[in-house]
Amino acid sequence: MSVISSMAGSLPGATADGMKLGRQFLPPRSQVIYAYTHRLLNETATNANSFAMQVAENYFALVAPHMRDKKAVPFRLGEGDDLADALKANGQALRRYMDGTVKTLPADLEDAWVLSLPEPYRSDCERDLAARRGMLPVRLAHIAPDADTAGIGSLMADFGQLVTALTPAISDGVIDELDRPHARKIVNACQDVVIAAVTVERRFVALLGDQR
């Protein structure tokens, strides 16, 4: 379920005049990411410390040593006896971002954070972040050997979810106001199918080369 639609109209900074004009102000990107992280922690067995360690591992893998800001991003790695301390410290750092103690999510940490979200939270989060600029996130071909078959599998799975989402809305043969409760889920499912289809298409377009 998309969180951006439910957050946009209820921001603390929204003014009465803005609401009268029908404006909906976008929440900060960080709030979108935190919302999906809260969902992950509330809906799964994942805990804050283990997720924070995954964020730390991705951050250190993505950001060059000379570009890391230890004050802005206090995550760290650990081995042996230091691992437990690193888990605890990273968990505390994660909570400080999410509870607003740290006001800004550094741009180079955002990538590591979103990449650490497991599916379906990652895809939903990336879709909402891209939608802020009127775009859909298209997955690039990964270097993994099974990337092609995984992409096709994703397309089939997403199409199945779209059919499931559509079923209650079209059971009476019409699409009308009564179907509004199903609309957001259907829209999200449609977008997932488009993203998966374009991802697969890119692989075959590359095969055609100049013939396209």
Side-chain angles (χ1 to χ4, degrees):
M1 181 180 66
S2 174
V3 297
I4 195 169
S5 56
S6 62
M7 295 172 65
S10 57
L11 293 177
T15 64
D17 290 341
M19 297 306 290
K20 287 179 182 178
L21 293 173
R23 291 181 182 174
Q24 286 194 332
F25 297 102
L26 290 173
R29 292 178 61 88
S30 59
Q31 292 305 313
V32 176
I33 296 170
Y34 299 157
Y36 280 107
T37 306
H38 277 298
R39 278 187 52 194
L40 168 68
L41 299 179
N42 291 334
E43 298 173 359
T44 72
T46 304
N47 62 62
N49 288 3
S50 62
F51 178 72
M53 182 58 74
Q54 183 62 56
V55 174
E57 291 175 355
N58 282 336
Y59 176 75
F60 278 83
L62 293 171
V63 181
H66 68 282
M67 296 296 293
R68 297 171 192 159
D69 186 338
K70 293 183 179 180
K71 291 184 178 180
V73 183
F75 289 104
R76 60 190 179 92
L77 302 179
E79 297 181 357
D81 295 338
D82 189 46
L83 180 59
D85 290 339
L87 276 167
K88 182 178 179 180
N90 291 340
Q92 291 175 340
L94 185 91
R95 294 184 187 92
R96 286 171 59 83
Y97 283 112
M98 294 179 65
D99 67 14
T101 302
V102 178
K103 304 300 183 184
T104 303
L105 179 66
D108 55 2
L109 180 58
E110 178 182 310
D111 287 335
W113 194 308
V114 174
L115 288 172
S116 298
L117 292 169
E119 296 295 350
Y121 304 96
R122 174 181 166 183
S123 290
D124 289 348
C125 182
E126 289 180 331
R127 182 179 56 224
D128 275 0
L129 291 175
R132 297 161 65 90
R133 298 184 182 181
M135 298 183 293
L136 291 174
V138 176
R139 303 177 187 90
L140 298 177
H142 294 86
I143 300 177
D146 63 344
D148 290 343
T149 54
I152 295 172
S154 177
L155 173 60
M156 301 303 290
D158 289 339
F159 183 75
Q161 292 174 4
L162 172 58
V163 173
T164 300
L166 281 168
T167 299
I170 62 176
S171 59
D172 58 358
V174 295
I175 299 175
D176 54 24
E177 187 64 26
L178 295 176
D179 299 314
R180 180 181 290 273
H182 308 296
R184 175 51 54 188
K185 185 175 182 180
I186 292 171
V187 169
N188 288 345
C190 285
Q191 292 177 350
D192 286 342
V193 170
V194 171
I195 293 167
V198 172
T199 301
V200 173
E201 179 199 33
R202 287 169 62 95
R203 300 291 293 123
F204 288 94
V205 167
L207 289 179
L208 291 174
D210 293 337
Q211 296 179 32
R212 66 180 186 276

